[in-house]
Amino acid sequence: MDWNLYKTTLKANLVQWFQQISAIQYSEYTDEEVLFELNKNTLDAFSAMVDVYSSNSTFEEWIENEKVRQRQKSLQGKIGDMHEVMIYSLKPSIKKRETENCADGKSLRIYDLFDSESQDKWIAEVKNKHNTTKGDDRKASFDKLAKGLELVGDDYKAYYVTILRDTHEKVKKEFTPSDNTAGERKGNDRIWHVDGETFYEILTGEEDALSKAFDVLEEVLSEHYDLGDNTHNDVRDQIKSFSFFKTKVNINQANLSGLLYLPHIGETIAQNIIDYRVENGDFNNTNDLLKVDKLGKGKLAKILPFVEL
């Protein structure tokens, strides 16, 4: 794959995307627009009263806060589209599917992205993180992808993509979300759950494709916000390492903030790990973590993929 060409395409698409972000950042909601949104979505009077009284606000001040919240809500929605922008920038054949028309006249978005021109044709639904969807959402995604495969034909595969994952290992397995009413969804060897790194690798043949795309985003951000060269290199590398799970936490060397990068570990247990080291010296093996106050077998099993000595 020509990464220079991808970089040029991605930067151009991200610059256009940032223009939309900036427009939202600097948008101003009027009182009437906020009240319209509240009326449309039904105001939660209970939550509103707690909000007003706990912050000792007037109704007018609360409305001003709502303006900020509405802007942030719009901004988060737009940021959610970023990975789609990064993926369809990979090559011209990748397209974004907006809607499919249903028999009842309504529009339904069956899948997010598709590629009908490459040797391995596919459709995909893209989620940012593994934990942003509930069980019912995953069931719905499976059913939508199954419907999508019916629409596009037998020569397609379907991918349920969670860009970020909660395990050290990459994810590539048949997508069979659990169903409280019918057990697991019936297996379909054409529907796969993959993480972001695996998906980018499938599309490009490059193992570090997602990492390279991340570097392009960082470059665009530096240029967009005029931060200069190398200003945030350390931040970029730290974020990339922990987010992509390339770096494990050394439990004999990490300070409090380093230990807090571990999933399921709060400040109390992190401090208990440090206290244990002070009193007993370095851990000889990971099972020694069971000697740490409040760190039991269940929690140890959850953090083992992320620690090293």
Side-chain angles (χ1 to χ4, degrees), residues 207-218:
E207 187 175 356
D208 60 348
L210 182 60
S211 178
K212 288 181 178 178
F214 181 86
D215 290 341
V216 175
L217 171 64
E218 190 274 337

Side-chain angles (χ1 to χ4, degrees), residues 55-217:
S55 61
N56 193 24
S57 303
T58 64
F59 184 76
E60 289 73 21
E61 290 169 337
W62 182 76
I63 287 293
E64 290 302 314
N65 289 332
E66 276 297 308
K67 292 178 184 179
V68 174
R69 196 177 71 83
Q70 291 291 343
R71 185 163 56 244
Q72 290 173 335
K73 198 164 123 187
S74 300
L75 194 60
Q76 285 300 314
K78 186 55 66 176
I79 288 174
D81 296 336
M82 183 178 62
H83 283 295
E84 290 184 16
V85 173
M86 297 179 75
I87 292 169
Y88 67 61
S89 299
L90 283 169
K91 50 186 178 178
S93 58
I94 299 176
K95 306 296 182 186
K96 184 172 180 176
R97 172 69 70 195
E98 293 296 345
T99 58
E100 293 286 350
N101 293 323
C102 302
D104 59 5
K106 295 181 179 179
S107 294
L108 175 66
R109 185 166 172 166
I110 301 292
Y111 46 88
D112 295 329
L113 299 167
F114 69 103
D115 187 350
S116 60
E117 298 178 22
S118 65
Q119 184 175 357
D120 296 317
K121 299 177 181 179
W122 54 266
I123 62 175
E125 178 153 353
V126 182
K127 306 294 183 182
N128 184 35
K129 292 192 290 186
H130 67 94
N131 58 353
T132 52
T133 56
K134 299 176 290 188
D136 287 346
D137 296 325
R138 288 188 284 273
K139 288 185 295 183
S141 293
F142 179 93
D143 292 341
K144 286 170 63 178
L145 288 171
K147 177 64 176 177
L149 288 175
E150 291 179 10
L151 293 172
V152 296
D154 294 338
D155 52 344
Y156 279 78
K157 290 181 179 178
Y159 293 107
Y160 177 77
V161 185
T162 47
I163 297 294
L164 304 177
R165 61 186 188 273
D166 66 340
T167 63
H168 192 70
E169 295 76 24
K170 293 181 179 179
V171 179
K172 188 177 183 181
K173 59 185 179 180
E174 283 191 31
F175 183 40
T176 53
S178 59
D179 186 335
N180 292 333
T181 58
E184 286 193 341
R185 280 294 197 259
K186 186 177 180 180
N188 187 327
D189 60 6
R190 294 167 61 202
I191 304 178
W192 287 77
H193 178 196
V194 297
D195 64 282
E197 286 176 87
T198 299
F199 191 55
Y200 272 70
E201 185 177 347
I202 289 170
L203 300 186
T204 66
E206 300 278 347
E207 187 175 356
D208 60 348
L210 182 60
S211 178
K212 288 181 178 178
F214 181 86
D215 290 341
V216 175
L217 171 64

Side-chain angles (χ1 to χ4, degrees), residues 249-297:
V249 174
N250 188 309
I251 56 173
N252 284 327
Q253 298 177 7
N255 58 18
L256 183 67
S257 60
L259 290 168
L260 289 173
Y261 276 111
L262 292 170
H264 315 289
I265 295 296
E267 191 168 337
T268 298
I269 296 181
Q271 186 59 55
N272 290 346
I273 292 173
I274 294 173
D275 292 343
Y276 179 91
R277 289 194 322 227
V278 171
E279 295 174 13
N280 303 282
D282 287 350
F283 294 95
N284 294 316
N285 56 67
T286 53
N287 281 333
D288 279 348
L289 283 166
L290 290 173
K291 300 174 184 177
V292 173
D293 187 31
K294 299 186 184 299
L295 206 163
K297 290 183 179 180

